[in-house]
Amino acid sequence: MITKQKGCVDIGGDDSILYEYIRNVVAHMMTSYNYSFIRTPIFEASELFHRSVGVSSDIVKKETYDFQDKGGRNLTLRPEGTAGVVRSYLENKGYSLPDVQKYYYFGTMYRYERPQTGRLREFTQFGVEVLGSNDPFIDAEVISLQYKILEALRISNLQVNINSLGDNESRMNYREALINYLKPHIHELCPDCQERFNTNPLRILDCKVDAQNEIIQNAPRTIDYLNTESKKRFETVLKYLDLLEIDYEVDAKIVRGLDYYDHTVFEIVSLDNNEGSQSVLGGGGRYNKLIKELDGPDSYGIGFACGVDRILAIMKEMPFYQDFKESIDCYVMYVSEEEKLYALEITQNLRLNGVITETDYLNKGLKGQFKAADRFKAKYLIILNNEDLKKGLVNVKDNATKEEVKVDLDELTEYIIGNL
Ligand code: AMP
């Protein structure tokens, strides 16, 4: 038997109801904040990710799905959403539009990771990218939007961990301090960190292997190296978050794994879930350098990404999860061929009026159909019989109270809608 690939999941049954619910809540919130949906291709030129995410990043070095198509093009399955959105923004000259461009996406991402709880090879993220403004208002808006979406999904005990990497000057000063600090200890860190020391020392702070190592725990903090302007900017972002009543903690260890961040970086965690990195539901940051890196004009960008699979796993543990279990509005029951003709029409009519309706396709007897209706958790049973149909009537049974009434065939749909 062919089975699914390692690190992949099928989202079906009750999970798919939650998945659709998450998608709807996300779409609803994004629309209120006036973010427009963007769908970029699942594969892009490999170069896009090499240049944006960075060749020295773990993602590009170890985790991308790279392949050549039959035309010899070097392609990569997207490991994250930002690069594709920025590529599209530049290709469509979004920067020439007078307003700030605010996009959101919802789709699958691909990383060749070691699969474990909350870490898949194909996973779903939703996220935003805001292009064209450097105003701290946007930093606060993006962070609070992420927070508010998770809150709307009823995920409790959320906390934003926030840090600032500052502008280029601040980053360079910090980089130098970090190199000087790490130099005498570097041989005590993992082989990857030793390599990172030469390619991108900031990445060492993100290392999954050495995260608890004292050397990393005691490393210099980016916020101590911010120049006056960057410090002021960071304070403004925090002031705005206070105003929006977002719970945050300044966490100097957050530098984020990707090459392109500057100024604000953040993660959002669920404090209810203490399975280490699995509790990180999303994160993001400002990436003012990225647009130029991809041959665009000097401009500004900020975004976040949230992991839907981790959100879904948390929601499944919540008491209200039961509310999401599939239930239908009506089950239409019939036995004879004549009744079946009515069943066809009635079922179609109800469905076209938005009433979730199921019926029998297996020529089951009435007993079997009652059982099926219970499996579907049908609220109403519509029981057809020839005698009543001839008089223009149908039997409607409330499956909870077991009360049964005869309803005029012509008024059936309104009756059901009125009682749902
Ligand atoms: P990142 O793009 O690495 O900042 O990830 C943002 C969010 O996406 C994380 O906080 C996770 O919730 C989710 N995520 C990232 N990688 C994976 C993965 N391999 N499997 C499942 N979810 C992931």
Side-chain angles (χ1 to χ4, degrees):
M1 193 174 51
I2 300 170
T3 56
K4 63 182 176 320
Q5 291 298 299
K6 210 169 154 186
C8 294
V9 286
D10 297 315
I11 297 177
D14 291 333
D15 280 2
S16 71
I17 298 170
L18 274 183
Y19 188 87
E20 288 302 291
Y21 176 76
I22 296 170
R23 201 192 339 229
N24 286 336
V25 169
V26 168
H28 180 78
M29 293 288 284
M30 295 293 187
T31 308
S32 302
Y33 280 69
N34 200 30
Y35 284 63
S36 56
F37 179 72
I38 184 165
R39 186 211 175 272
T40 60
I42 283 174
F43 59 84
E44 299 265 7
S46 301
E47 195 195 345
L48 174 66
F49 301 109
H50 293 171
R51 279 171 62 185
S52 59
V53 182
V55 274
S56 69
S57 66
D58 273 6
I59 291 186
V60 167
K61 270 176 69 186
K62 301 185 201 157
E63 297 172 3
T64 47
Y65 279 88
D66 303 307
F67 61 101
Q68 251 188 12
D69 72 1
K70 291 192 170 65
R73 297 171 190 87
N74 291 319
L75 304 173
T76 296
L77 298 187
R78 61 182 186 200
E80 55 91 50
T82 305
V85 174
V86 174
R87 195 259 319 129
S88 168
Y89 168 79
L90 295 176
E91 202 171 330
N92 295 296
K93 299 197 169 48
Y95 49 81
S96 61
L97 299 170
D99 298 308
V100 171
Q101 298 297 299
K102 305 200 295 183
Y103 305 102
Y104 85 93
Y105 59 84
F106 194 109
T108 48
M109 307 294 159
Y110 301 83
R111 292 183 198 171
Y112 190 79
E113 301 210 62
R114 197 164 58 80
Q116 51 191 294
T117 317
R119 200 168 284 286
L120 298 164
R121 289 184 174 171
E122 183 191 63
F123 56 99
T124 304
Q125 283 185 337
F126 66 84
V128 304
E129 311 298 342
V130 181
L131 297 158
S133 167
N134 195 32
D135 195 314
F137 192 142
I138 300 278
D139 300 42
E141 173 177 305
V142 162
I143 293 169
S144 71
L145 172 57
Q146 182 179 32
Y147 190 98
K148 290 293 166 191
I149 289 175
L150 294 172
E151 209 175 57
L153 290 167
R154 295 193 256 178
I155 297 182
S156 50
N157 246 332
L158 292 166
Q159 184 181 287
V160 171
N161 294 325
I162 188 169
N163 190 21
S164 174
L165 305 175
D167 59 8
N168 222 17
E169 184 189 69
S170 311
R171 269 181 73 127
M172 294 317 280
N173 287 340
Y174 175 69
R175 195 171 182 276
E176 204 184 313
L178 186 67
I179 290 173
N180 289 337
Y181 167 80
L182 288 173
K183 210 182 262 165
H185 304 288
I186 192 65
H187 58 279
E188 297 166 48
L189 298 177
C190 77
D192 276 349
C193 281
Q194 298 186 22
E195 202 186 319
R196 286 178 192 123
F197 185 72
N198 298 315
T199 51
N200 192 338
L202 251 74
R203 283 257 161 70
I204 293 177
L205 303 178
D206 258 348
C207 177
K208 290 169 197 157
V209 179
D210 280 327
Q212 298 311 319
N213 190 317
E214 252 179 44
I215 297 166
I216 291 188
Q217 296 281 329
N218 298 328
R221 303 163 353 134
T222 57
I223 38 174
D224 296 330
Y225 291 84
L226 299 181
N227 58 19
T228 315
E229 211 177 306
S230 300
K231 196 163 175 232
K232 210 170 128 218
R233 192 181 187 288
F234 188 43
E235 282 164 2
T236 309
V237 174
L238 298 184
K239 186 173 84 184
Y240 291 174
L241 287 175
D242 286 335
L243 214 83
L244 295 170
E245 295 181 357
I246 302 295
D247 282 334
Y248 65 81
E249 191 74 38
V250 175
D251 180 348
K253 300 245 156 32
I254 298 183
V255 291
R256 307 277 305 150
L258 312 184
D259 260 351
Y260 49 58
Y261 289 108
D262 52 11
H263 288 294
T264 314
V265 283
F266 55 92
E267 283 179 352
I268 190 156
V269 296
S270 155
L271 298 177
D272 285 344
N273 179 335
N274 45 21
E275 283 178 59
S277 66
Q278 270 33 292
S279 62
V280 183
L281 302 181
R286 191 161 264 293
Y287 48 81
N288 290 344
K289 292 193 301 286
L290 176 65
I291 300 160
K292 208 156 181 210
E293 181 62 42
L294 293 176
D295 302 329
D298 234 339
S299 188
Y300 308 103
I302 183 168
F304 74 70
C306 263
V308 173
D309 304 87
R310 290 188 193 171
I311 295 171
L312 205 143
I314 291 185
M315 289 176 80
K316 273 175 80 169
E317 299 301 317
M318 294 177 166
F320 71 84
Y321 173 54
Q322 295 305 325
D323 303 349
F324 284 93
K325 294 232 165 138
E326 204 161 6
S327 78
I328 64 167
D329 299 325
C330 285
Y331 191 94
V332 180
M333 299 165 65
Y334 64 92
V335 179
S336 72
E337 193 57 31
E338 256 176 313
E339 291 160 4
K340 186 176 192 171
L341 301 181
Y342 281 96
L344 264 163
E345 255 183 294
I346 290 172
T347 304
Q348 164 117 314
N349 244 326
L350 288 166
R351 286 172 173 170
L352 292 180
N353 281 286
V355 180
I356 308 167
T357 307
E358 193 47 282
T359 187
D360 174 58
Y361 311 106
L362 293 170
N363 293 319
K364 286 197 184 101
L366 273 187
K367 206 168 148 199
Q369 293 186 46
F370 272 114
K371 281 190 185 156
D374 283 344
R375 280 196 299 276
F376 283 112
K377 301 193 190 74
K379 296 186 189 90
Y380 288 95
L381 311 181
I382 296 172
I383 310 161
L384 306 182
N385 71 62
N386 278 329
E387 307 254 303
D388 287 326
L389 287 169
K390 274 183 208 141
K391 294 182 218 151
L393 297 171
V394 286
N395 296 291
V396 179
K397 185 169 177 178
D398 182 322
N399 210 16
T401 62
K402 306 293 176 204
E403 243 172 73
E404 201 169 325
V405 289
K406 288 196 196 304
V407 177
D408 234 42
L409 188 52
D410 296 338
E411 287 161 16
L412 177 66
T413 305
E414 291 89 89
Y415 175 85
I416 297 289
I417 291 173
N419 281 282
L420 279 174

